[in-house]
Amino acid sequence: MAERPLSPHLQIYKIQITSLLSILHRLTGMILYGGAVLWVVWLMGLANGKDSYDAIQKILLHPVGLIVLLGWSLSFFYHFCNGIRHLCWDMGYGYDIKTVRQTGWFVIIMTILLTMFTWMLGRTWGFIWT
Amino acid sequence: MKVKSEKGVGHWLIQRITAVLLIPLSLWAAAVFLAYITAPYSAAQIWLSSPYIKSAVIVFTVLMFYHGYLGIQVILEDYVPNEKTRTYLIYFTRLFSFFMTVLAIISIIQIQLS
C-alpha cells in the first residue's frame, strides 16, 4: 500500500476547467457530508419537540444560517449535476476533450440556475406557512 | 490495511448505485427541506408522522451516509500518506457515518403526532 503512488498531485498542475471541476466535485462532496449532519440535527430537533425545532429553525433562518444554506444548495446542485456527468462517463459517453469542456460549463451554468430557482421557490413556499 | 482488488470493484459499484438512487431521492429531500425549513413545528410533525414518508426519509438518509462515507474514504486514500493515520481516519468516518444514520433513524421513528 505504501509503495503505491498517491494521486492526484494537485500542486504540479496548471488549473484548467477540467481539473477545477474535478476538485470541486470532491470539495462539494465533503461540504454535503456536513450538510448530511445538519439534516440529522434537524430531524433530531423535530423528534425532540417544539423548543428544539424552533431553536434550530431560528439558527437556520438567521443570516449566518442562510449563508450556510446558500453554500449547501450550491454544493448540492454542483455535486448533483457533475455527478450525473460522472455517471455518463462511467457508461462511456462524453469522453473527448471538447465535450468534457462543454459539459463542464453546462454543469456550472445549471448549478447557478438551479440554485437561483431553488431560492426563488423557497421565498414563495415560505409564504405558505405565514 | 490490506486491500483486496475485488473489494475495489465493489466499492466503485456501490458508490455508483447509491449515486443513481440518490438522484431522485436527494431532489425529493431537497424540495421537502426547502418547503419545511420555514414551516411551523406542527406542520413538519404531521409530515413526518406518515409511515411512508418515514420509510422514504430513512432510505434516503442511509443511502446518503453510505455514499458520503465511500466518497470520504476515497479522498482519505488519496491524500493521507501515512498508512496508520489513513486507516484510523477511514474507520472513524465509517463509525461516525453509522452513528449519524442510527441517530437519524431513531429520531424519525420517534416523531409522532402529539
Side-chain angles (χ1 to χ4, degrees):
Chain A
M1 195 68 186
E3 293 81 42
R4 269 203 231 163
L6 292 171
S7 67
H9 307 278
L10 293 185
Q11 59 278 11
I12 63 164
Y13 282 123
K14 177 176 174 279
I15 289 288
Q16 298 177 340
I17 174 142
T18 43
S19 56
L20 178 70
L21 294 199
S22 174
I23 295 160
L24 271 180
H25 196 70
R26 293 190 155 189
L27 189 72
T28 52
M30 290 194 285
I31 293 170
L32 288 172
Y33 193 95
V37 174
L38 194 57
W39 164 255
V40 176
V41 170
W42 186 73
L43 288 172
M44 284 168 71
L46 188 53
N48 205 35
K50 193 175 184 310
D51 292 342
S52 320
Y53 180 86
D54 287 346
I56 290 163
Q57 187 174 52
K58 207 177 163 193
I59 296 166
L60 287 172
L61 298 179
H62 182 272
V64 177
L66 290 177
I67 291 167
V68 172
L69 291 174
L70 179 65
W72 190 6
S73 52
L74 273 170
S75 299
F76 170 67
F77 285 119
Y78 178 79
H79 202 84
F80 184 89
C81 295
N82 201 51
I84 292 172
R85 185 162 165 255
H86 267 279
L87 288 170
C88 291
W89 287 335
D90 293 338
M91 290 185 295
Y93 299 112
Y95 266 116
D96 63 292
I97 193 70
K98 198 177 161 224
T99 314
V100 169
R101 289 212 183 96
Q102 278 173 349
T103 52
W105 280 109
F106 185 67
V107 163
I108 293 173
I109 292 162
M110 283 310 288
T111 302
I112 295 165
L113 287 179
L114 285 167
T115 306
M116 280 166 64
F117 175 72
T118 301
W119 282 77
M120 274 151 61
L121 203 65
R123 273 189 71 89
T124 320
W125 284 0
F127 296 130
I128 296 172
W129 312 110
T130 52
Chain B
M1 186 172 64
K2 285 209 171 76
V3 176
K4 291 186 181 122
S5 54
E6 64 266 30
K7 248 189 162 179
V9 178
H11 183 288
W12 186 91
L13 200 62
I14 296 165
Q15 197 172 32
R16 268 69 186 176
I17 292 169
T18 50
V20 171
L21 294 171
L22 280 168
I23 292 174
L25 279 171
S26 65
L27 268 189
W28 170 74
V32 162
F33 194 68
L34 180 67
Y36 282 90
I37 197 163
T38 49
Y41 174 68
S42 54
Q45 207 183 17
I46 289 167
W47 174 70
L48 244 173
S49 60
S50 146
Y52 300 107
I53 301 291
K54 276 178 196 270
S55 316
V57 171
I58 288 173
V59 170
F60 164 70
T61 307
V62 169
L63 287 172
M64 174 171 59
F65 273 106
Y66 199 170
H67 184 83
Y69 160 66
L70 292 175
I72 303 278
Q73 188 191 341
V74 173
I75 293 172
L76 290 172
E77 280 168 356
D78 280 349
Y79 294 106
V80 182
N82 185 288
E83 194 182 322
K84 226 176 180 176
T85 317
R86 184 173 60 231
T87 311
Y88 279 132
L89 283 172
I90 289 172
Y91 275 127
F92 173 76
T93 313
R94 187 186 294 181
L95 205 68
F96 184 79
S97 305
F98 179 75
F99 181 65
M100 277 291 138
T101 312
V102 171
L103 264 181
I105 293 172
I106 292 170
S107 303
I108 294 160
I109 293 170
Q110 272 184 343
I111 296 162
Q112 45 186 273
L113 290 176
S114 48

